[in-house]
Amino acid sequence: MIKAGIIGGAGYTAGELIRILLNHPEAEIDFVYSTSQPGKPVSTIHQDLAGETEITFTDTINRNADVVFLCLGHGNSKKFLAENHFSENTKIIDLSTDFRMNGDHDFVYGLPEFFKSEIQSAKNIANPGCFATAISLAILPLAKSGEIKSDWHVNAVTGATGSGTSLSDTTHFTWRDNNFSSYKSFGHQHLNEIGQSLKMLQPDFSSEVNFIPNRGNFSRGIHATAYTEYDGSLEDAKKLYSEVYSEAPFIHLVEDIHLKQVVNTNKCLLKLEKFGNKLLVTSVIDNLLKGASGQAVQNMNLIFGFPEDAGLKLKASYF
């Protein structure tokens, strides 16, 4: 059993990590670090864990843990690692934006379906963003085959948990309920990592990804639609996607698609349709699992040589 630590233990992604790791066959939780909740049982914050664990939050860390998950606010992971040093054998999996872009660091971008070999030999992983995961899984097969010839147009809706636990004007129930809005049109931060992956897989990519993010009046999940010009037939596209994802345990092509199929799972479902010369790809994920904590555990499994789906055989909350 490997020993796992969680930094920033009071947030949504930490709660999902605790839930997964408590039932993981190859890992055990060594500590859950929180400067705001030390000494309190984790179940007082993550109340779905009542009766599941006696673990308490701590304000100390084990520098020799086998793997540490950083569930900190964007910009805080770099600061935390500058102030706290772990052993040479400790693997770091960061769920923030801090290390997703290539640069002066040793973090590998952790999108398993396209960078598995790099992840398996990595020491540290930058876990992709939730929108970036849903959109990348929809469009990257065409990049891998070098077949993107024009712009992608993407419209995606996320649930309220995508904004984290801190309240804001747009996360209060009275604002979110029976409401819908777009934000950061054409300028969402996840576009950078999507573009980086596109260029890595198709170096001559020079088109645009036109992305409109939306806030939905539900708690969790992402529903994304993406379309581009495509010369092949629908059968050609389905064959391509099936081949690209033939060894991806969480990616499935379907004919009917909606959020309830994936919420509470690490799955990404994709539906392909052809309209004239355009290929439409619909992608759905759980933003807290495949878009965050589930993918982080998937990356952990790859680093340590465990089955890729270990601890992640989760049932959707369908009813």
Side-chain angles (χ1 to χ4, degrees):
M1 300 285 281
I2 62 168
K3 294 186 179 296
I6 298 172
I7 306 295
Y12 288 139
T13 56
E16 293 299 275
L17 274 171
I18 295 168
R19 177 167 68 89
I20 295 169
L21 293 174
L22 284 174
N23 296 288
H24 197 286
E26 305 287 352
E28 60 183 2
I29 298 173
D30 186 58
F31 65 90
V32 180
Y33 176 90
S34 172
T35 56
S36 64
Q37 309 294 333
K40 295 181 181 179
V42 298
S43 59
T44 60
I45 301 298
H46 305 297
Q47 297 183 2
D48 59 314
L49 298 177
E52 299 292 326
T53 179
E54 300 300 320
I55 295 174
T56 59
F57 292 108
T58 180
D59 57 2
T60 61
I61 60 176
N62 175 10
R63 302 182 189 279
N64 296 306
D66 296 299
V67 61
V68 171
F69 296 91
L70 302 181
C71 300
L72 299 168
H74 302 311
N76 292 328
S77 292
K78 284 184 178 180
K79 180 180 178 182
F80 182 86
L81 291 177
E83 297 173 351
N84 298 273
H85 301 286
F86 293 91
S87 77
E88 292 184 359
N89 296 321
T90 300
K91 313 293 187 182
I92 306 293
I93 300 177
D94 179 36
L95 279 73
S96 80
T97 63
D98 290 19
F99 300 102
R100 290 175 187 162
M101 301 304 295
N102 295 333
D104 185 21
H105 57 73
D106 62 353
F107 282 73
V108 168
Y109 188 66
L111 190 65
E113 290 75 17
F114 290 93
F115 307 114
K116 181 179 292 188
S117 61
E118 294 88 342
I119 293 166
Q120 289 172 322
S121 59
K123 182 178 186 296
N124 301 320
I125 297 294
N127 215 55
C130 53
F131 270 135
T133 297
I135 296 167
S136 295
L137 293 173
I139 71 178
L140 289 185
L142 284 187
K144 189 172 184 179
S145 64
E147 295 185 55
I148 301 178
K149 307 299 183 184
S150 61
D151 291 355
W152 278 98
H153 301 274
V154 183
N155 193 291
V157 189
T158 189
T161 53
S163 300
T165 57
S166 298
L167 284 175
S168 67
D169 291 343
T170 58
T171 58
H172 280 283
F173 177 80
T174 51
W175 189 93
R176 201 93 179 199
D177 185 46
N178 291 317
N179 203 0
F180 189 93
S181 67
S182 59
Y183 68 108
K184 296 183 180 179
S185 297
F186 302 104
H188 195 279
Q189 62 271 18
H190 289 184
L191 278 169
N192 293 328
E193 55 189 283
I194 295 169
Q196 177 177 262
S197 296
L198 282 166
K199 292 290 288 185
M200 290 174 68
L201 294 170
Q202 184 176 331
D204 67 349
F205 174 80
S206 59
S207 301
E208 298 287 339
V209 178
N210 301 296
F211 174 35
I212 308 297
N214 302 283
R215 305 179 184 95
N217 64 339
F218 49 90
S219 293
R220 57 197 290 171
I222 288 176
H223 183 287
T225 53
Y227 67 88
T228 191
E229 293 181 6
Y230 178 65
D231 295 332
S233 66
L234 179 59
E235 290 69 29
D236 293 333
K238 288 183 176 180
K239 181 181 179 182
L240 169 63
Y241 276 66
S242 295
E243 290 174 351
V244 168
Y245 291 129
S246 61
E247 298 182 4
F250 298 108
I251 314 300
H252 306 281
L253 301 186
V254 297
E255 296 301 320
D256 297 298
I257 193 163
H258 52 84
L259 280 179
K260 281 195 172 184
Q261 294 167 290
V262 297
V263 170
N264 200 48
T265 79
N266 199 53
K267 294 178 183 177
C268 173
L269 300 187
L270 300 172
K271 180 179 180 179
L272 277 58
E273 300 173 89
K274 190 80 191 292
F275 298 93
N277 68 338
K278 294 181 176 61
L279 178 68
L280 172 65
V281 185
T282 303
S283 171
V284 291
I285 66 169
D286 184 317
N287 59 293
L288 292 180
L289 289 172
K290 186 58 176 164
S293 304
Q295 186 159 231
V297 172
Q298 186 180 354
N299 282 317
M300 180 195 79
N301 289 340
L302 290 172
I303 291 176
F304 288 97
F306 304 145
E308 194 169 345
D309 61 356
L312 294 170
K313 297 177 181 179
L314 307 171
K315 180 191 178 298
S317 300
Y318 194 76
F319 301 110

